[in-house]
PDB file of all heavy atoms in Angstrom:
ATOM      1  N   ARG A1333      -4.042  19.527 -68.873  1.00 94.00           N
ATOM      2  CA  ARG A1333      -3.699  18.213 -68.225  1.00 94.00           C
ATOM      3  C   ARG A1333      -4.521  17.074 -68.781  1.00 94.00           C
ATOM      4  O   ARG A1333      -3.994  16.069 -69.173  1.00 94.00           O
ATOM      5  CB  ARG A1333      -3.899  18.360 -66.744  1.00 94.00           C
ATOM      6  CG  ARG A1333      -3.649  17.110 -65.938  1.00 94.00           C
ATOM      7  CD  ARG A1333      -3.999  17.251 -64.482  1.00 94.00           C
ATOM      8  NE  ARG A1333      -2.936  17.902 -63.705  1.00 94.00           N
ATOM      9  CZ  ARG A1333      -3.063  18.264 -62.434  1.00 94.00           C
ATOM     10  NH1 ARG A1333      -4.251  18.082 -61.841  1.00 94.00           N
ATOM     11  NH2 ARG A1333      -2.027  18.652 -61.775  1.00 94.00           N
ATOM     12  N   ASP A1334      -5.879  17.232 -68.814  1.00 95.00           N
ATOM     13  CA  ASP A1334      -6.677  16.009 -69.154  1.00 95.00           C
ATOM     14  C   ASP A1334      -6.917  15.812 -70.579  1.00 95.00           C
ATOM     15  O   ASP A1334      -7.584  14.840 -70.979  1.00 95.00           O
ATOM     16  CB  ASP A1334      -8.021  16.162 -68.349  1.00 95.00           C
ATOM     17  CG  ASP A1334      -7.718  16.037 -66.826  1.00 95.00           C
ATOM     18  OD1 ASP A1334      -6.840  15.189 -66.473  1.00 95.00           O
ATOM     19  OD2 ASP A1334      -8.344  16.720 -66.086  1.00 95.00           O
ATOM     20  N   ASP A1335      -6.497  16.706 -71.438  1.00 97.00           N
ATOM     21  CA  ASP A1335      -6.676  16.512 -72.886  1.00 97.00           C
ATOM     22  C   ASP A1335      -5.575  15.559 -73.344  1.00 97.00           C
ATOM     23  O   ASP A1335      -4.666  15.968 -74.061  1.00 97.00           O
ATOM     24  CB  ASP A1335      -6.657  17.789 -73.609  1.00 97.00           C
ATOM     25  CG  ASP A1335      -7.916  18.599 -73.378  1.00 97.00           C
ATOM     26  OD1 ASP A1335      -8.948  18.000 -72.918  1.00 97.00           O
ATOM     27  OD2 ASP A1335      -7.899  19.872 -73.565  1.00 97.00           O
ATOM     28  N   THR A1336      -5.659  14.287 -72.951  1.00 97.00           N
ATOM     29  CA  THR A1336      -4.640  13.339 -73.195  1.00 97.00           C
ATOM     30  C   THR A1336      -5.343  11.999 -73.452  1.00 97.00           C
ATOM     31  O   THR A1336      -6.243  11.595 -72.774  1.00 97.00           O
ATOM     32  CB  THR A1336      -3.745  13.163 -71.936  1.00 97.00           C
ATOM     33  OG1 THR A1336      -3.314  14.475 -71.575  1.00 97.00           O
ATOM     34  CG2 THR A1336      -2.588  12.273 -72.121  1.00 97.00           C
ATOM     35  N   ILE A1337      -4.862  11.312 -74.498  1.00 97.00           N
ATOM     36  CA  ILE A1337      -5.378   9.989 -74.839  1.00 97.00           C
ATOM     37  C   ILE A1337      -4.415   8.921 -74.320  1.00 97.00           C
ATOM     38  O   ILE A1337      -3.268   8.937 -74.702  1.00 97.00           O
ATOM     39  CB  ILE A1337      -5.656   9.873 -76.385  1.00 97.00           C
ATOM     40  CG1 ILE A1337      -6.537  10.987 -76.870  1.00 97.00           C
ATOM     41  CG2 ILE A1337      -6.109   8.496 -76.685  1.00 97.00           C
ATOM     42  CD1 ILE A1337      -6.585  11.055 -78.438  1.00 97.00           C
ATOM     43  N   LEU A1338      -4.974   8.017 -73.574  1.00 96.00           N
ATOM     44  CA  LEU A1338      -4.146   6.906 -73.073  1.00 96.00           C
ATOM     45  C   LEU A1338      -4.363   5.749 -73.956  1.00 96.00           C
ATOM     46  O   LEU A1338      -5.435   5.189 -74.145  1.00 96.00           O
ATOM     47  CB  LEU A1338      -4.599   6.505 -71.635  1.00 96.00           C
ATOM     48  CG  LEU A1338      -3.863   5.340 -71.022  1.00 96.00           C
ATOM     49  CD1 LEU A1338      -2.321   5.646 -70.810  1.00 96.00           C
ATOM     50  CD2 LEU A1338      -4.509   4.943 -69.696  1.00 96.00           C
ATOM     51  N   VAL A1339      -3.238   5.329 -74.658  1.00 96.00           N
ATOM     52  CA  VAL A1339      -3.346   4.208 -75.622  1.00 96.00           C
ATOM     53  C   VAL A1339      -2.869   2.933 -74.834  1.00 96.00           C
ATOM     54  O   VAL A1339      -3.580   1.938 -74.874  1.00 96.00           O
ATOM     55  CB  VAL A1339      -2.513   4.442 -76.892  1.00 96.00           C
ATOM     56  CG1 VAL A1339      -2.650   3.254 -77.849  1.00 96.00           C
ATOM     57  CG2 VAL A1339      -2.890   5.730 -77.500  1.00 96.00           C
ATOM     58  N   SER A1340      -1.809   3.005 -74.179  1.00 95.00           N
ATOM     59  CA  SER A1340      -1.384   1.951 -73.268  1.00 95.00           C
ATOM     60  C   SER A1340      -0.640   2.491 -72.071  1.00 95.00           C
ATOM     61  O   SER A1340       0.154   3.423 -72.293  1.00 95.00           O
ATOM     62  CB  SER A1340      -0.565   0.884 -74.013  1.00 95.00           C
ATOM     63  OG  SER A1340       0.686   1.476 -74.370  1.00 95.00           O
ATOM     64  N   ASP A1341      -0.895   2.023 -70.897  1.00 94.00           N
ATOM     65  CA  ASP A1341      -0.381   2.603 -69.669  1.00 94.00           C
ATOM     66  C   ASP A1341       1.043   2.232 -69.505  1.00 94.00           C
ATOM     67  O   ASP A1341       1.417   1.053 -69.311  1.00 94.00           O
ATOM     68  CB  ASP A1341      -1.192   2.149 -68.475  1.00 94.00           C
ATOM     69  CG  ASP A1341      -0.783   2.797 -67.219  1.00 94.00           C
ATOM     70  OD1 ASP A1341       0.206   3.552 -67.209  1.00 94.00           O
ATOM     71  OD2 ASP A1341      -1.472   2.594 -66.151  1.00 94.00           O
ATOM     72  N   PRO A1342       1.979   3.250 -69.560  1.00 95.00           N
ATOM     73  CA  PRO A1342       3.411   2.954 -69.357  1.00 95.00           C
ATOM     74  C   PRO A1342       3.791   2.276 -68.011  1.00 95.00           C
ATOM     75  O   PRO A1342       4.673   1.500 -67.916  1.00 95.00           O
ATOM     76  CB  PRO A1342       4.095   4.284 -69.466  1.00 95.00           C
ATOM     77  CG  PRO A1342       3.134   5.223 -70.066  1.00 95.00           C
ATOM     78  CD  PRO A1342       1.747   4.652 -69.743  1.00 95.00           C
ATOM     79  N   PHE A1343       3.002   2.639 -66.977  1.00 94.00           N
ATOM     80  CA  PHE A1343       3.254   2.028 -65.662  1.00 94.00           C
ATOM     81  C   PHE A1343       2.877   0.524 -65.553  1.00 94.00           C
ATOM     82  O   PHE A1343       3.281  -0.165 -64.705  1.00 94.00           O
ATOM     83  CB  PHE A1343       2.492   2.756 -64.564  1.00 94.00           C
ATOM     84  CG  PHE A1343       3.211   4.064 -64.113  1.00 94.00           C
ATOM     85  CD1 PHE A1343       2.601   5.265 -64.327  1.00 94.00           C
ATOM     86  CD2 PHE A1343       4.455   3.966 -63.478  1.00 94.00           C
ATOM     87  CE1 PHE A1343       3.280   6.448 -63.921  1.00 94.00           C
ATOM     88  CE2 PHE A1343       5.116   5.165 -63.096  1.00 94.00           C
ATOM     89  CZ  PHE A1343       4.543   6.374 -63.275  1.00 94.00           C
TER      90      PHE A1343
END
Side-chain angles (χ1 to χ4, degrees):
R1333 178 186 272 173
D1334 294 322
D1335 290 341
T1336 305
I1337 301 171
L1338 177 66
V1339 182
S1340 67
D1341 185 353
F1343 279 115

